Amino acid sequence: LVGVKDNLFEGLRVMKHLLQERFVYLRECLTHFTTTGSVLPSSQWAAHALTNPLRRTARPQRILEVGAGTGAVTTKILKDMIDGDEFTICELNRRFMRTLREKLALNQDFQRHKAHVTFVEGPVQELPEDEPYDVIICAIPFNNLSLAVVEEIFAKLGRLSGKDTHLSFFEYVGIREINKVVSLKERRQRFEAIDMFIKNLAHQCLVSEETVWLNFTPIKIYTFQLRRAA
Ligand SMILES: C[S@@+](CC[C@H](N)C(=O)[O-])C[C@H]1O[C@@H](n2cnc3c(N)ncnc32)[C@H](O)[C@@H]1O
Protein backbone atom coordinates (compact mmCIF):
# COMPACT_ATOMS: atom_id res chain seq x y z
CA LEU A 1 0.00 0.00 0.00
CA VAL A 2 2.90 2.36 0.81
CA GLY A 3 4.38 1.74 -2.67
CA VAL A 4 1.06 2.56 -4.35
CA LYS A 5 0.79 5.79 -2.33
CA ASP A 6 4.36 6.80 -3.26
CA ASN A 7 3.69 6.14 -6.96
CA LEU A 8 0.47 8.15 -6.77
CA PHE A 9 2.26 11.13 -5.16
CA GLU A 10 5.06 10.92 -7.73
CA GLY A 11 2.47 10.83 -10.55
CA LEU A 12 0.67 13.87 -9.11
CA ARG A 13 3.94 15.78 -8.70
CA VAL A 14 4.93 15.12 -12.32
CA MET A 15 1.43 16.12 -13.50
CA LYS A 16 1.57 19.37 -11.48
CA HIS A 17 4.92 20.32 -13.04
CA LEU A 18 3.67 19.53 -16.52
CA LEU A 19 0.57 21.68 -16.05
CA GLN A 20 2.63 24.54 -14.58
CA GLU A 21 5.01 24.31 -17.54
CA ARG A 22 2.17 24.37 -20.08
CA PHE A 23 0.60 27.32 -18.29
CA VAL A 24 3.86 29.32 -18.35
CA TYR A 25 4.34 28.51 -22.04
CA LEU A 26 0.83 29.61 -23.01
CA ARG A 27 1.07 32.80 -20.94
CA GLU A 28 4.45 33.74 -22.47
CA CYS A 29 3.09 32.97 -25.93
CA LEU A 30 0.19 35.37 -25.34
CA THR A 31 2.31 38.13 -23.78
CA HIS A 32 5.53 37.74 -25.84
CA PHE A 33 4.38 36.15 -29.08
CA THR A 34 7.12 37.70 -31.24
CA THR A 35 9.93 35.97 -29.38
CA THR A 36 8.04 32.86 -28.19
CA GLY A 37 6.45 32.01 -31.53
CA SER A 38 4.31 29.02 -30.55
CA VAL A 39 1.52 27.95 -28.19
CA LEU A 40 3.06 24.65 -27.11
CA PRO A 41 6.60 23.36 -26.58
CA SER A 42 8.22 21.08 -29.17
CA SER A 43 7.22 17.40 -29.21
CA GLN A 44 9.60 14.55 -28.38
CA TRP A 45 9.86 13.76 -32.12
CA ALA A 46 10.81 17.36 -32.90
CA ALA A 47 13.35 17.32 -30.03
CA HIS A 48 14.88 14.13 -31.41
CA ALA A 49 15.22 15.50 -34.93
CA LEU A 50 16.56 18.87 -33.75
CA THR A 51 19.31 17.14 -31.79
CA ASN A 52 20.48 14.91 -34.70
CA PRO A 53 23.69 16.97 -35.18
CA LEU A 54 24.79 15.92 -31.68
CA ARG A 55 24.95 12.30 -32.75
CA ARG A 56 27.21 12.70 -35.80
CA THR A 57 30.36 12.10 -33.73
CA ALA A 58 31.36 10.16 -30.61
CA ARG A 59 33.90 12.75 -29.47
CA PRO A 60 33.03 15.39 -26.82
CA GLN A 61 31.49 18.58 -28.16
CA ARG A 62 30.63 22.11 -27.15
CA ILE A 63 26.87 22.44 -27.47
CA LEU A 64 24.78 25.60 -27.48
CA GLU A 65 20.99 25.67 -27.21
CA VAL A 66 19.41 29.00 -28.12
CA GLY A 67 15.83 29.58 -26.98
CA ALA A 68 15.40 26.70 -24.56
CA GLY A 69 11.91 27.77 -23.46
CA THR A 70 10.63 25.30 -20.86
CA GLY A 71 13.20 22.69 -21.89
CA ALA A 72 11.49 20.32 -24.36
CA VAL A 73 14.74 20.05 -26.34
CA THR A 74 17.07 20.72 -23.38
CA THR A 75 16.09 17.47 -21.66
CA LYS A 76 16.84 15.51 -24.85
CA ILE A 77 20.26 17.17 -25.14
CA LEU A 78 21.00 16.33 -21.50
CA LYS A 79 19.96 12.71 -22.06
CA ASP A 80 22.36 12.41 -25.02
CA MET A 81 25.31 14.27 -23.44
CA ILE A 82 28.50 12.25 -23.07
CA ASP A 83 31.44 12.78 -20.71
CA GLY A 84 33.50 15.73 -21.88
CA ASP A 85 30.60 17.61 -23.50
CA GLU A 86 30.05 21.22 -22.46
CA PHE A 87 26.52 22.61 -22.76
CA THR A 88 25.41 26.26 -22.76
CA ILE A 89 21.71 27.04 -22.41
CA CYS A 90 20.77 30.51 -23.64
CA GLU A 91 17.26 31.82 -23.03
CA LEU A 92 16.01 35.38 -23.42
CA ASN A 93 12.89 35.11 -21.28
CA ARG A 94 13.32 35.33 -17.49
CA ARG A 95 10.15 33.32 -16.71
CA PHE A 96 11.12 30.52 -19.08
CA MET A 97 14.56 30.39 -17.54
CA ARG A 98 13.12 30.14 -14.02
CA THR A 99 10.68 27.37 -15.03
CA LEU A 100 13.48 25.53 -16.82
CA ARG A 101 15.80 25.66 -13.81
CA GLU A 102 13.00 24.33 -11.57
CA LYS A 103 12.32 21.51 -14.01
CA LEU A 104 15.99 20.56 -14.35
CA ALA A 105 16.46 20.45 -10.59
CA LEU A 106 14.37 17.23 -10.73
CA ASN A 107 16.07 15.84 -13.84
CA GLN A 108 18.56 12.99 -13.36
CA ASP A 109 20.46 13.67 -16.59
CA PHE A 110 20.95 17.27 -15.46
CA GLN A 111 22.18 16.10 -12.05
CA ARG A 112 24.74 13.91 -13.84
CA HIS A 113 26.07 16.67 -16.10
CA LYS A 114 25.39 19.87 -14.20
CA ALA A 115 29.08 20.70 -13.68
CA HIS A 116 29.26 21.02 -17.48
CA VAL A 117 26.09 23.04 -18.02
CA THR A 118 26.09 26.87 -18.15
CA PHE A 119 22.92 29.00 -18.10
CA VAL A 120 22.90 32.34 -19.88
CA GLU A 121 19.82 34.49 -19.46
CA GLY A 122 19.60 37.07 -22.24
CA PRO A 123 19.66 37.36 -26.03
CA VAL A 124 22.02 35.14 -28.00
CA GLN A 125 23.30 38.32 -29.64
CA GLU A 126 25.13 39.07 -26.36
CA LEU A 127 26.85 35.70 -25.83
CA PRO A 128 30.65 35.87 -25.46
CA GLU A 129 32.51 34.65 -28.54
CA ASP A 130 35.65 33.32 -26.86
CA GLU A 131 35.25 29.58 -27.59
CA PRO A 132 33.41 28.20 -30.64
CA TYR A 133 30.59 25.67 -30.43
CA ASP A 134 30.45 22.39 -32.40
CA VAL A 135 26.67 22.17 -32.37
CA ILE A 136 24.08 24.95 -32.11
CA ILE A 137 20.39 24.10 -31.69
CA CYS A 138 18.33 27.21 -32.19
CA ALA A 139 14.57 27.63 -31.66
CA ILE A 140 14.27 31.38 -32.30
CA PRO A 141 11.07 32.04 -34.31
CA PHE A 142 12.86 33.84 -37.17
CA ASN A 143 9.66 34.43 -39.15
CA ASN A 144 8.40 36.75 -36.39
CA LEU A 145 11.43 39.03 -36.60
CA SER A 146 12.60 41.76 -38.92
CA LEU A 147 15.12 40.86 -41.63
CA ALA A 148 17.73 43.03 -39.89
CA VAL A 149 17.39 41.03 -36.65
CA VAL A 150 17.43 37.68 -38.50
CA GLU A 151 20.64 38.77 -40.27
CA GLU A 152 22.14 39.95 -37.00
CA ILE A 153 21.38 36.60 -35.29
CA PHE A 154 22.78 34.48 -38.15
CA ALA A 155 25.92 36.65 -38.20
CA LYS A 156 26.26 36.07 -34.46
CA LEU A 157 25.74 32.30 -34.86
CA GLY A 158 28.53 32.40 -37.48
CA ARG A 159 30.86 34.08 -34.97
CA LEU A 160 29.95 31.46 -32.35
CA SER A 161 30.93 28.68 -34.77
CA GLY A 162 34.18 26.84 -35.37
CA LYS A 163 35.52 25.19 -38.53
CA ASP A 164 32.70 22.66 -38.82
CA THR A 165 29.73 23.66 -36.69
CA HIS A 166 26.30 22.20 -37.31
CA LEU A 167 23.32 24.46 -36.65
CA SER A 168 19.77 23.13 -36.50
CA PHE A 169 16.72 25.39 -36.48
CA PHE A 170 13.11 25.11 -37.58
CA GLU A 171 10.10 26.85 -39.01
CA TYR A 172 6.45 25.87 -39.17
CA VAL A 173 5.58 24.02 -42.36
CA GLY A 174 4.15 26.34 -44.99
CA ILE A 175 4.30 29.42 -42.74
CA ARG A 176 6.24 31.61 -45.19
CA GLU A 177 4.15 30.46 -48.17
CA ILE A 178 0.84 31.10 -46.34
CA ASN A 179 1.95 34.53 -45.18
CA LYS A 180 3.20 35.49 -48.61
CA VAL A 181 -0.37 34.97 -49.86
CA VAL A 182 -2.65 36.12 -47.04
CA SER A 183 -0.71 38.84 -45.21
CA LEU A 184 -0.82 42.58 -45.59
CA LYS A 185 1.79 44.08 -47.92
CA GLU A 186 4.33 45.09 -45.30
CA ARG A 187 4.22 41.72 -43.53
CA ARG A 188 4.33 39.89 -46.85
CA GLN A 189 7.43 41.82 -47.90
CA ARG A 190 9.10 40.95 -44.59
CA PHE A 191 8.33 37.25 -45.08
CA GLU A 192 9.64 37.36 -48.65
CA ALA A 193 12.86 39.01 -47.51
CA ILE A 194 13.42 36.39 -44.77
CA ASP A 195 12.56 33.62 -47.23
CA MET A 196 15.16 34.95 -49.65
CA PHE A 197 17.78 35.36 -46.92
CA ILE A 198 17.35 31.79 -45.61
CA LYS A 199 17.25 30.30 -49.13
CA ASN A 200 20.50 32.11 -50.03
CA LEU A 201 22.13 30.83 -46.89
CA ALA A 202 20.80 27.31 -47.53
CA HIS A 203 22.44 27.44 -50.94
CA GLN A 204 25.85 27.71 -49.25
CA CYS A 205 25.33 25.82 -45.97
CA LEU A 206 22.45 23.32 -46.12
CA VAL A 207 23.36 19.86 -44.83
CA SER A 208 19.87 18.40 -44.46
CA GLU A 209 16.18 19.21 -44.26
CA GLU A 210 13.60 17.14 -42.42
CA THR A 211 9.87 17.53 -41.78
CA VAL A 212 8.45 16.46 -38.43
CA TRP A 213 4.70 15.94 -38.67
CA LEU A 214 4.23 14.79 -35.07
CA ASN A 215 4.31 18.22 -33.48
CA PHE A 216 1.50 20.61 -32.44
CA THR A 217 2.18 22.36 -35.75
CA PRO A 218 4.36 20.32 -38.16
CA ILE A 219 7.85 21.78 -38.53
CA LYS A 220 10.61 21.76 -41.08
CA ILE A 221 14.06 21.39 -39.53
CA TYR A 222 17.10 22.71 -41.34
CA THR A 223 20.66 21.71 -40.54
CA PHE A 224 23.31 24.16 -41.77
CA GLN A 225 27.06 23.84 -41.63
CA LEU A 226 28.49 27.10 -40.32
CA ARG A 227 32.12 28.23 -40.43
CA ARG A 228 33.49 31.11 -38.50
CA ALA A 229 34.93 33.65 -40.93
CA ALA A 230 38.76 33.75 -40.64
C1 LIG B 1 9.54 28.55 -30.24
S1 LIG B 1 10.13 28.83 -28.58
C2 LIG B 1 10.97 27.28 -28.41
C3 LIG B 1 11.08 26.76 -27.01
C4 LIG B 1 11.68 25.34 -26.87
N1 LIG B 1 13.02 25.26 -27.44
C5 LIG B 1 10.82 24.32 -27.54
O1 LIG B 1 11.24 23.81 -28.60
O2 LIG B 1 9.74 24.02 -27.02
C6 LIG B 1 11.40 30.03 -28.87
C7 LIG B 1 12.26 30.38 -27.68
O3 LIG B 1 13.31 31.25 -28.10
C8 LIG B 1 13.53 32.26 -27.11
N2 LIG B 1 14.20 33.38 -27.78
C9 LIG B 1 13.67 34.22 -28.70
N3 LIG B 1 14.58 35.11 -29.12
C10 LIG B 1 15.74 34.82 -28.45
C11 LIG B 1 17.05 35.40 -28.46
N4 LIG B 1 17.35 36.44 -29.24
N5 LIG B 1 18.00 34.85 -27.66
C12 LIG B 1 17.70 33.77 -26.86
N6 LIG B 1 16.48 33.20 -26.81
C13 LIG B 1 15.50 33.71 -27.60
C14 LIG B 1 12.12 32.53 -26.60
O4 LIG B 1 12.10 33.19 -25.36
C15 LIG B 1 11.53 31.14 -26.56
O5 LIG B 1 11.81 30.49 -25.36
Side-chain angles (χ1 to χ4, degrees):
L1 198 64
V2 174
V4 173
K5 210 168 114 191
D6 284 351
N7 280 346
L8 189 66
F9 279 131
E10 179 59 15
L12 287 172
R13 195 175 59 87
V14 170
M15 184 72 86
K16 184 176 151 236
H17 275 283
L18 191 68
L19 286 175
Q20 264 173 357
E21 196 184 308
R22 290 291 148 93
F23 173 73
V24 171
Y25 206 98
L26 185 61
R27 190 185 58 197
E28 294 312 302
C29 170
L30 295 174
T31 54
H32 298 89
F33 182 73
T34 306
T35 52
T36 304
S38 70
V39 185
L40 282 176
S42 297
S43 69
Q44 57 177 294
W45 296 278
H48 183 87
L50 276 162
T51 54
N52 273 338
L54 288 182
R55 293 178 286 275
R56 75 190 161 113
T57 171
R59 66 173 172 79
Q61 305 184 90
R62 281 179 48 80
I63 306 158
L64 168 65
E65 184 186 13
V66 182
T70 51
V73 181
T74 320
T75 47
K76 176 66 181 148
I77 297 172
L78 287 164
K79 196 176 268 312
D80 289 355
M81 269 178 78
I82 57 167
D83 289 345
D85 281 348
E86 293 291 331
F87 180 24
T88 302
I89 302 173
C90 171
E91 172 52 57
L92 175 71
N93 181 308
R94 190 168 45 87
R95 290 193 195 88
F96 276 149
M97 194 55 126
R98 196 177 54 215
T99 307
L100 178 62
R101 280 175 176 273
E102 284 167 10
K103 174 173 167 169
L104 294 185
L106 306 168
N107 180 292
Q108 288 185 356
D109 298 315
F110 176 69
Q111 293 308 325
R112 216 172 44 244
H113 295 295
K114 67 181 175 192
H116 303 279
V117 178
T118 308
F119 293 89
V120 180
E121 189 179 303
V124 64
Q125 294 92 314
E126 291 177 10
L127 268 186
E129 294 168 16
D130 36 12
E131 253 196 277
Y133 291 94
D134 302 296
V135 177
I136 303 177
I137 297 164
C138 178
I140 292 181
F142 291 115
N143 285 315
N144 286 2
L145 308 176
S146 68
L147 176 64
V149 175
V150 175
E151 286 176 340
E152 177 194 18
I153 293 174
F154 271 94
K156 177 71 184 188
L157 296 178
R159 295 196 301 277
L160 291 168
S161 299
K163 289 196 187 98
D164 177 27
T165 297
H166 277 203
L167 160 75
S168 64
F169 65 99
F170 65 89
E171 65 176 4
Y172 297 103
V173 167
I175 185 86
R176 276 185 272 148
E177 287 72 15
I178 293 169
N179 273 284
K180 275 194 273 178
V181 177
V182 301
S183 295
L184 296 173
K185 190 173 168 208
E186 199 184 321
R187 194 174 149 87
R188 201 169 60 231
Q189 284 173 342
R190 187 173 62 75
F191 267 89
E192 278 167 0
I194 293 173
D195 191 28
M196 183 90 79
F197 174 74
I198 291 187
K199 276 188 181 142
N200 279 340
L201 215 52
H203 205 63
Q204 306 156 36
C205 321
L206 185 70
V207 174
S208 66
E209 211 180 288
E210 178 180 353
T211 302
V212 176
W213 297 100
L214 291 172
N215 197 49
F216 174 63
T217 318
I219 56 172
K220 189 176 265 193
I221 297 175
Y222 299 94
T223 303
F224 281 8
Q225 184 189 40
L226 299 183
R227 280 196 199 95
R228 187 185 188 137

